[in-house]
Amino acid sequence: MTLVQEMAEFVAASAFEDMTDDVREQLKIRVLDTIGCGIGALDAELARTVRAHTASFGSEGNCTLIGGGSAAADRAAFYNGTLVRYLDFNDSYLAKGETCHPSDNLAPVLAAAEFAGCGGRDFLTALAMAYQVQCRLSDVAPVRAKGFDHTTQGSYAVAAGVSRALGLNPNQTANAIAICGTAFNALRVTRTGALSHWKGLAYPNTAFGCTHAALLAMHGITGPQEVFEGNKGFMESISGRFRISWLEENLDRVQRTILKKYNAEIHSQPSIEALLELKRETGFDAADVTAIDLETFDVAYHIIGGGEEGEKMTVRTKEEADHSLPYLLAVAALDGGVMPEQYRPERIGRRDVQDLLRKVHVRENEAFSRRFPDEMPCRITVRLKDGRTLEKSKRDYEGFHTRPARWETATAKFHRLSGPFTTEALRNEIADSILRIEDAPVSNLTRLLGQVRTSPGPPEASPK
């Protein structure tokens, strides 16, 4: 068998019973977290633009849009995926040479599951499959150093998850994976230099294209079966040689994914936690700060600290702000948190944060780099006008796999993000539907997502 045929056998043979109770629990936590991120983005300008674009093709379809309405499966995958990704608050997976957001797969898998009339068990299995494929390819075949985006491995993950949700046979699945792996090799320039809307739309676009490709494969369209190892295939053209036995894989990689505590790029999480703990412990005033010095691991430095992917002192937009360690640490020092409100245009442009971010200095610590990705070490030093020097070190943060998020933590984040667009009763229904998703058709969940408002409603009255 070719590698893609082996992967297809793995996809088709996977079953709900292959997951342990712990895996299922962690998967449900990520479904709740991801949907909260999606609902929380509903009033973003970009979300409104994509919704209008989706509506221009007609309002009739097989799949539910978060916030009401429907569309064809591929367009639902694109729109819902845009919502999930916009805040940049969804989960991540860290490999030595790659970082990705496996929850980006929820939108296409959910659309395919609704299209196929799946039960919750098949939906969870398909989603776990997408997580497994993306994470394991990130482990063995990283592409960032070659100039390609993590959505490249994502194309295989979407194809695998959607094929499993659609119930495709191994031959159809192999063709879906082969088409997607051939067609969607995206460039890393998406996340370097001056950042654009495409940072948040790159994976939704992959979800759109790969959902469409899987539906083509369902109808008999074929793809190159040697996409991995063949002449001018993925190994020869992009990744280099690697080995993986898909028939020996399981569905447990979701347990190594990590949730975000702060609304910021994943590699910034421990440094933000360290700074906020210092602020709480000492009560320092950001106006008294003369310098913030951060030592961190190589990946954080190069992606968001001003290393090889570009300087991070120029911050004008939400996309630039959430990928700038200087901005993130400055706004955390000033506001005592990093949440969606820290990315409003008027907040980004204010003089206080623009001045303070220029006092943030980031450098790589080689010893810390050697400890990544098993740890996320950092050391932050805050220098004050009165001569005091405050220091704190971290090896992880709350939400990392060494300190995993609990259902209660994810629920609190879900309520905070989705509160403006829902009633408390609807939020509780959505959370309960996810908690018990294996016992019902996936349409129970999508029906509830269709009841969410697309714009913030009036504040709920406090209970008497």
Side-chain angles (χ1 to χ4, degrees):
M1 287 192 290
T2 65
L3 267 180
V4 80
Q5 290 166 342
E6 189 177 301
M7 184 191 292
E9 292 287 344
F10 169 49
V11 172
S14 62
F16 181 77
E17 291 72 23
D18 296 336
M19 293 184 282
T20 65
D21 289 343
D22 286 344
V23 168
R24 294 169 192 163
E25 178 185 14
Q26 290 301 314
L27 197 57
K28 290 177 186 179
I29 287 172
R30 280 145 186 80
V31 172
L32 182 68
D33 184 79
T34 306
I35 287 176
C37 292
I39 294 174
L42 276 164
D43 66 339
E45 182 180 357
L46 182 62
R48 292 194 296 269
T49 299
V50 173
R51 187 174 184 88
H53 167 77
T54 304
S56 71
F57 294 96
S59 58
E60 297 299 321
N62 305 99
C63 300
T64 302
L65 304 179
I66 297 174
S70 61
D74 50 4
R75 298 197 180 278
F78 182 66
Y79 173 69
N80 290 338
T82 297
L83 294 177
V84 164
R85 195 68 187 84
Y86 177 75
L87 292 180
D88 202 358
F89 211 168
N90 53 323
D91 71 11
S92 292
Y93 180 77
L94 306 180
K96 189 64 179 175
E98 203 75 68
T99 301
C100 61
H101 302 271
S103 53
D104 284 338
N105 294 295
L106 182 139
V109 171
L110 184 63
E114 185 178 16
F115 177 85
C118 280
R121 291 184 169 219
D122 283 332
F123 164 68
L124 283 181
T125 306
L127 185 60
M129 175 59 66
Y131 268 73
Q132 192 74 20
V133 169
Q134 186 165 16
C135 294
R136 293 295 289 122
L137 283 176
S138 297
D139 288 334
V140 302
V143 299
R144 184 175 65 220
K146 305 289 181 65
F148 290 88
D149 197 33
H150 66 258
T151 59
T152 298
Q153 295 101 334
S155 64
Y156 297 98
V158 175
V162 168
S163 294
R164 178 61 179 80
L166 293 174
L168 303 190
N169 63 40
N171 184 58
Q172 293 169 317
T173 299
N175 284 314
I177 297 169
I179 294 168
C180 294
T182 303
F184 298 101
N185 296 292
L187 296 178
R188 180 70 187 178
V189 70
T190 297
R191 299 171 211 284
T192 66
L195 299 180
S196 68
H197 287 146
W198 202 247
K199 178 176 78 72
L201 292 177
Y203 209 104
N205 183 65
T206 296
F208 168 75
C210 294
T211 301
H212 181 71
L215 291 167
L216 290 175
M218 183 175 71
H219 291 288
I221 302 299
T222 62
Q225 299 290 294
E226 295 183 339
V227 61
F228 280 114
E229 63 270 74
N231 183 15
K232 303 299 188 291
F234 179 68
M235 289 185 182
E236 182 179 328
S237 301
I238 299 176
S239 69
R241 305 299 297 182
F242 64 89
R243 296 184 66 182
I244 188 168
S245 176
W246 289 108
L247 297 179
E248 295 176 6
E249 289 292 313
N250 54 34
L251 298 177
D252 67 354
R253 212 62 183 172
V254 64
Q255 293 179 298
R256 290 283 295 188
T257 60
I258 57 181
L259 299 190
K260 290 186 176 182
K261 183 177 182 179
Y262 309 104
N263 190 183
E265 200 272 351
I266 191 63
H267 302 104
S268 70
Q269 300 291 309
S271 57
I272 294 173
E273 185 176 78
L275 181 70
L276 292 176
E277 287 181 2
L278 270 182
K279 188 174 177 67
R280 286 194 298 271
E281 292 165 4
T282 67
F284 77 80
D285 190 329
D288 295 329
V289 172
T290 61
I292 299 175
D293 298 323
L294 176 68
E295 295 175 71
T296 188
F297 48 93
D298 52 357
V299 177
Y301 171 69
H302 287 302
I303 294 178
I304 56 174
E308 66 183 25
E309 296 201 352
E311 62 89 13
K312 296 299 176 180
M313 293 297 186
T314 304
V315 178
R316 300 156 297 190
T317 65
K318 187 260 182 205
E319 288 79 11
E320 291 173 341
D322 69 27
H323 268 54
S324 165
L325 265 171
Y327 178 84
L328 295 170
L329 295 178
V331 83
L334 287 160
D335 296 358
V338 184
M339 294 298 281
E341 49 266 33
Q342 271 66 55
Y343 299 111
R344 292 171 181 155
E346 62 273 17
R347 184 68 192 102
I348 293 172
R350 200 175 303 162
R351 175 60 63 86
D352 61 350
V353 72
Q354 289 291 332
D355 286 347
L356 185 55
L357 73 85
R358 284 162 176 77
K359 299 176 183 178
V360 178
H361 311 285
V362 184
R363 68 182 180 90
E364 177 192 349
N365 181 307
E366 291 183 1
F368 291 172
S369 299
R370 289 191 292 272
R371 290 159 58 186
F372 177 84
D374 294 325
E375 298 180 18
M376 298 180 77
C378 69
R379 180 164 51 242
I380 195 161
T381 304
V382 178
R383 305 183 192 281
L384 303 176
K385 291 178 180 177
D386 62 9
R388 283 186 297 158
T389 297
L390 313 175
E391 186 177 293
K392 184 171 282 284
S393 297
K394 286 280 180 179
R395 60 181 291 270
D396 59 11
Y397 72 96
E398 184 183 9
F400 195 61
H401 60 78
T402 53
R403 286 197 278 156
R406 297 173 292 110
W407 176 262
E408 293 77 15
T409 307
T411 300
K413 179 178 171 183
F414 169 76
H415 279 279
R416 190 190 195 287
L417 292 176
S418 61
F421 307 95
T422 56
T423 63
E424 183 178 4
L426 179 57
R427 292 196 298 277
N428 289 336
E429 279 194 84
I430 292 171
D432 188 64
S433 176
I434 294 168
L435 188 61
R436 307 174 192 281
I437 195 166
E438 67 266 38
D439 300 325
V442 78
S443 58
N444 280 17
L445 174 59
T446 57
R447 174 182 56 81
L448 295 172
L449 298 181
Q451 297 174 27
V452 174
R453 297 186 292 257
T454 56
S455 57
E460 291 184 275
S462 299
K464 296 181 180 179

